Amino acid sequence: MAKPKKQPRPKAITPKGFRDYFGQEVTQRTEMLRAIANVYHRYGFDALESSAVETVEALGKFLPDVDRPNEGVFAWQEVDENDKGDWMALRYDLTAPLARVYAQHRNDLPTPYRRYAMGPVWRNEKPGPGRYRQFYQCDADTVGTASMAADAEICAMLSDTLETVGIPRGDYLVRVNNRKVLNGVMEIAGLFDKQNPGAFETERGIVLRAIDKFDRLGAEGVRSLLGEGRKDGSGDFTSGAGLNLHQIETIMSFVLAPGLVAEKQEEIRALVESQIEDGVGATTVSLDKGNKISQSTRLVAALYAPHPNNPSPENHYWNIAAISVLGELVRGSEEGEQGVDELSEIVDLLYAQGYGPDRIKIDPAVVRGLGYYTGPVFEAELTFDVFDEKGRKRQFGSVAGGGRYDDLVKRFTGQPVPSVGVSIGVDRLLAALREKGRIAAQATGPVVVTVMDRDRMADYQAMVAELRNAGIRAEVYLGNPKNFGNQLKYADKRNSPIAVIEGGDEKANGIVQIKDLILGAKIAESATLEEWKERPSQFEVPRGDLVSKVREILDSQD
């Protein structure tokens, strides 16, 4: 009789596209999420923890391929008595579950409903460097109001959140645009019909992708993609949108709008300064009588009478100029002009709270890819430089994005429910904080109480209890205490700041030895023998002074 084959041992390997997170990373993420939650809570948002699993039907348009519901998401089909049940999937993001939750519980929830959610999401997509199939998101949304005050509030909250977690002012920018403005430009170019929004959908998709590549391809590259197409350096050809010359120039005027805004900003600066010299009153000034900008009294007045929350009105010129330029670009399109009005209102509300374009800036270049955005869209970009794996300097880039999506809950209710929200990429934000040195490269471990006599474990546990009760992180060495050197190696691997030593002689004399491991390592690296003697890293103190001396050393290490 043949021997049964041994079952091969499973490979100890992380599944492709996933990774393990150890103590330090988990702790850092938890602390950052707690800081973000405090900001959201301060703004009046409530926490929501929804199911990690949704039906494929509920995810709907979020699926990359509805005909293959296991593509793009991690999905499976339940088995019922007929061997055929519902398709279920791990959530793709945190917005689709919110739409389902609100539709299901709307009679029990306040309107508007403000919620924030934090947790992992899963995408069954091809992994790459820094791109995983499981990652954390942190969302905040307001459901049930069409007021632009909700959009302005989300932008302000995003700004406050970045500063709270450690991204200083000047190292980030919340950039704001409006999909209605872009639709207006498309309408003028003959690519958008509100009565038949499905028409020219393919061309609009190519246009959006082309605009999004402006930073990489430049004006001529985008122009090629709007026309017949473009061949890259390797010879690969990308088909274009096939637009005519008038359509291309209309779209390019939008693509190049930031340059026009800069010119308009200087015009406004000169105009305001000249009219101030002439003593013209704030309420009688119109920057452009044929433009919607003149309707915002507070925006114009802000140029002359600084708001107490925003004492530098000249910083506001960019946003006023941007609204003026966009108004000119979409003149004649009802939807485009509505989008400009909404941006004007958002800027007005933000300025009243003290948020100018040094933090929140109108930027025509923002094109959010998700099709369900219906109004204002925004993106938080970190503006400081980092170096990639090839040593090239580049900006860190986007860490958050969002916008208004008024049709999402409608899938469940049949009625439009105006909503706006933002999603923060937690892992990218953590990486940014490490780049800025806001998070230590290595977290400090616990104080380690060594074991000199295994029969006196109760004494060592008593020491640890005193330290813990005093709020100090501490542990007793629980390995084999036979080799004291191994205990110190363990403390080193734990990145412990201090080791506590109490042998038989110390116990008899009522003292403990406290070893400053951080200082000891520094001395060992560079100190001379004389410096070693002058700066001892080990202290002998009465047993009763254990906690106070440990705290003193920890304070000196900060």
Side-chain angles (χ1 to χ4, degrees), residues 472 498 516 539 541 545-558:
I472 297 170
I498 291 171
D516 184 336
F539 307 91
V541 300
D545 293 342
L546 169 66
V547 171
S548 60
K549 186 61 180 178
V550 166
R551 192 184 299 283
E552 177 188 322
I553 295 173
L554 291 175
D555 289 342
S556 70
Q557 292 173 348
D558 290 340

Coordinates of all heavy atoms in Angstrom, one line a residue, residues 472 498 516 539 541 545-558:
I472 N 3.3 55.3 31.9 CA 4.5 55.0 31.2 C 4.4 53.6 30.5 O 4.1 52.6 31.2 CB 5.8 55.0 32.1 CG1 5.9 56.5 32.6 CG2 7.0 54.6 31.3 CD1 7.0 56.6 33.7
I498 N 14.6 52.7 27.6 CA 15.2 52.5 29.0 C 15.1 51.0 29.3 O 14.1 50.3 29.0 CB 14.4 53.3 30.1 CG1 14.7 54.8 29.9 CG2 14.8 52.9 31.5 CD1 13.8 55.7 30.7
D516 N 19.8 54.3 30.3 CA 19.3 55.1 29.3 C 19.9 54.5 27.9 O 21.0 54.8 27.6 CB 19.8 56.5 29.4 CG 19.2 57.5 28.4 OD1 18.8 57.0 27.3 OD2 19.1 58.7 28.7
F539 N 22.1 54.8 35.6 CA 21.9 55.5 36.9 C 21.5 54.5 37.9 O 20.7 53.6 37.7 CB 20.9 56.6 36.7 CG 21.2 57.5 35.6 CD1 20.7 57.3 34.3 CD2 21.9 58.7 35.7 CE1 20.9 58.1 33.2 CE2 22.2 59.5 34.7 CZ 21.7 59.2 33.4
V541 N 19.5 54.4 41.4 CA 18.6 55.2 42.2 C 17.9 54.3 43.2 O 17.8 53.1 43.1 CB 17.6 55.9 41.3 CG1 18.2 56.8 40.3 CG2 16.7 54.9 40.7
D545 N 12.4 55.7 43.9 CA 12.5 56.7 42.9 C 12.4 56.2 41.4 O 12.7 56.9 40.5 CB 13.8 57.5 43.0 CG 13.9 58.3 44.3 OD1 12.8 58.5 44.9 OD2 15.0 58.6 44.8
L546 N 12.0 54.9 41.3 CA 12.0 54.3 40.0 C 11.2 55.1 39.0 O 11.7 55.5 37.9 CB 11.4 52.9 40.1 CG 11.1 52.2 38.8 CD1 12.3 51.9 37.9 CD2 10.3 50.9 39.0
V547 N 10.0 55.4 39.3 CA 9.1 56.1 38.4 C 9.6 57.5 38.0 O 9.6 57.9 36.9 CB 7.6 56.1 38.9 CG1 6.7 57.0 38.1 CG2 7.0 54.7 39.0
S548 N 10.0 58.3 39.1 CA 10.4 59.6 38.8 C 11.6 59.7 38.0 O 11.8 60.6 37.1 CB 10.6 60.4 40.2 OG 11.6 59.7 40.9
K549 N 12.6 58.8 38.2 CA 13.8 58.8 37.4 C 13.5 58.4 35.9 O 14.1 58.9 35.0 CB 14.9 57.9 38.0 CG 16.2 58.0 37.3 CD 16.8 59.4 37.4 CE 18.2 59.5 36.8 NZ 18.7 60.8 36.8
V550 N 12.7 57.4 35.8 CA 12.4 56.9 34.4 C 11.7 58.1 33.7 O 12.0 58.4 32.5 CB 11.4 55.7 34.5 CG1 10.8 55.5 33.1 CG2 12.2 54.5 34.9
R551 N 10.8 58.8 34.3 CA 10.1 59.9 33.7 C 11.1 61.0 33.3 O 11.0 61.6 32.3 CB 9.0 60.4 34.6 CG 8.1 61.4 33.8 CD 7.0 62.0 34.8 NE 6.2 61.0 35.4 CZ 5.2 60.4 34.8 NH1 4.9 60.7 33.5 NH2 4.4 59.5 35.4
E552 N 12.0 61.3 34.2 CA 13.0 62.3 34.0 C 13.9 61.9 32.7 O 14.1 62.8 31.9 CB 14.0 62.4 35.2 CG 15.1 63.4 35.0 CD 16.1 63.3 36.2 OE1 15.7 63.1 37.3 OE2 17.3 63.5 35.9
I553 N 14.3 60.7 32.6 CA 15.1 60.3 31.4 C 14.2 60.4 30.2 O 14.7 60.8 29.1 CB 15.6 58.8 31.6 CG1 16.6 58.8 32.8 CG2 16.3 58.3 30.4 CD1 17.0 57.4 33.2
L554 N 13.0 59.9 30.2 CA 12.1 60.0 29.0 C 11.9 61.4 28.6 O 11.9 61.7 27.4 CB 10.8 59.3 29.3 CG 10.7 57.8 29.5 CD1 9.4 57.3 30.0 CD2 11.2 57.1 28.3
D555 N 11.7 62.3 29.5 CA 11.6 63.7 29.2 C 12.8 64.3 28.5 O 12.7 65.1 27.6 CB 11.3 64.6 30.4 CG 9.8 64.3 31.0 OD1 9.0 63.7 30.2 OD2 9.6 64.6 32.1
S556 N 14.0 63.8 29.0 CA 15.3 64.3 28.4 C 15.5 63.8 27.0 O 16.2 64.4 26.2 CB 16.4 63.9 29.3 OG 16.7 62.5 29.2
Q557 N 14.8 62.7 26.6 CA 15.0 62.1 25.3 C 14.1 62.7 24.3 O 14.3 62.6 23.1 CB 14.7 60.6 25.4 CG 15.7 59.8 26.2 CD 15.2 58.3 26.4 OE1 14.1 58.0 26.1 NE2 16.2 57.5 26.8
D558 N 13.0 63.4 24.7 CA 12.1 64.1 23.8 C 12.8 65.2 23.0 O 13.6 65.9 23.6 CB 10.9 64.6 24.5 CG 10.0 63.4 25.0 OD1 10.1 62.3 24.4 OD2 9.2 63.6 25.9

